[in-house]
């Protein structure tokens, strides 16, 4: 699945001008790790002949409203935007033109204890991507990772296997929108209820 998505992304975002540098953002909660980002970057650089840049951030334990509420950019988004802007400045300083091309997202575990928050998830996530598009004059391709939990570990209060399935279904439907895809983190080994083993982060990519 990962390779299929990367191939599709390359087809949708190929650039004829070698001075254009595709920039990709990977973000979310604590499963958004440098290991995960590095695996994504390795595949992207094969397709883009190493002419791409990946920016990664992580905000552990954060619900989606920490990025956006209604039509308001909140602090996590502002921090993520600043990280991308810094990469843009470096690329422009080298005489090239940065283009925000894709967003890879791994977040939602913290939203899974509230059906109210989960019912707001799609609107908020689409707003988040809309902010990236507006702020960087882009039309990004977005890959959202469906969360999961290992049932062999205890869940935090308020979270149930049923609520996790509820959010997984929401994230899957988000991935059915034009220029969106979803990938599934189910079936990957975790060292607690939520977090992927580092080797599995690399395998998921």
């Amino acid at each position: 699945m990962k390779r299929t998505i990367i191939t599709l992304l390359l087809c949708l975002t190929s650039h004829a001008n070698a001075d254009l540098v595709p920039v990709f953002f990977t973000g979310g909660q604590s499963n958004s790790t440098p290991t995960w980002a590095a695996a994504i970057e390795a595949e992207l650089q094969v397709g883009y002949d190493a002419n791409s840049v990946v920016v990664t951030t992580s905000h552990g334990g954060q619900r989606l409203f920490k990025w956006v509420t209604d039509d308001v950019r909140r602090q996590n988004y502002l921090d993520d935007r600043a990280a991308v802007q810094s990469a843009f400045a470096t690329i422009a300083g080298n005489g090239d033109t940065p283009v925000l091309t894709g967003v890879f997202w791994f977040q939602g575990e913290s939203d899974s204890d509230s059906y109210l928050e989960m019912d707001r998830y799609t609107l908020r996530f689409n707003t988040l991507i809309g902010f990236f598009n507006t702020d960087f004059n882009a039309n990004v391709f977005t890959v959202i990772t469906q969360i999961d939990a290992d049932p062999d570990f205890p869940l935090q209060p308020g979270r149930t296997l049923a609520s996790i399935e509820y959010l997984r279904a929401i994230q899957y439907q988000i991935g059915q929108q034009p220029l969106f895809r979803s990938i599934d983190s189910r079936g990957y080994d975790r060292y607690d209820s939520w977090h992927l083993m580092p080797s599995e982060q690399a395998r998921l990519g």
Side-chain angles (χ1 to χ4, degrees):
M1 175 64 76
K2 176 178 67 174
R3 190 170 297 277
T4 299
I5 288 174
I6 295 293
T7 301
L8 177 60
L9 181 58
L10 291 170
C11 291
L12 290 172
T13 61
S14 60
H15 298 296
N17 189 336
D19 293 334
L20 294 179
V21 177
V23 176
F24 298 88
F25 173 75
T26 70
Q29 288 185 232
S30 50
N31 271 316
S32 173
T33 64
T35 300
W36 180 58
I40 293 170
E41 183 173 28
E43 293 217 9
L44 288 169
Q45 289 195 339
V46 170
Y48 285 102
D49 298 324
N51 186 42
S52 63
V53 172
V54 172
V55 178
T56 187
T57 68
S58 179
H59 303 275
Q62 302 288 294
R63 290 183 177 182
L64 191 55
F65 78 79
K66 293 290 188 176
W67 279 266
V68 296
T69 51
D70 298 323
D71 201 29
V72 177
R73 295 161 172 81
R74 299 198 66 190
Q75 191 61 51
N76 284 359
Y77 173 76
L78 297 177
D79 292 344
D80 293 349
R81 183 180 68 180
V84 176
Q85 288 171 331
S86 178
F88 268 47
T90 298
I91 294 166
N94 292 330
D96 296 320
T97 302
V99 179
L100 185 60
T101 303
V103 170
F104 292 81
W105 190 254
F106 200 158
Q107 184 275 337
E109 295 90 346
S110 291
D111 294 272
S112 66
D113 69 346
S114 167
Y115 281 89
L116 179 62
E117 294 299 310
M118 290 190 287
D119 285 341
R120 294 170 172 169
Y121 196 92
T122 299
L123 177 59
R124 286 176 175 167
F125 188 72
N126 287 342
T127 300
L128 173 68
I129 299 305
F131 285 158
F132 275 117
N133 283 332
T134 297
D135 293 349
F136 292 97
N137 191 27
N139 190 26
V140 299
F141 185 89
T142 301
V143 179
I144 185 170
T145 305
Q146 292 171 263
I147 66 163
D148 199 18
D150 189 330
D152 292 334
F153 293 96
L155 294 172
Q156 292 96 330
R159 296 174 175 86
T160 66
L161 294 178
S163 70
I164 293 162
E165 289 298 328
Y166 191 80
L167 184 55
R168 281 172 50 80
I170 290 170
Q171 292 176 321
Y172 175 80
Q173 289 301 322
I174 288 172
Q176 305 311 298
Q177 301 174 113
L179 292 181
F180 287 73
R181 291 293 184 275
S182 65
I183 59 174
D184 197 345
S185 69
R186 175 161 289 174
Y188 291 82
D189 292 335
R190 288 167 160 80
Y191 62 82
D192 62 15
S193 55
W194 301 116
H195 297 99
L196 296 179
M197 298 279 194
S199 60
E200 296 291 78
Q201 293 168 354
R203 187 165 73 92
L204 176 66

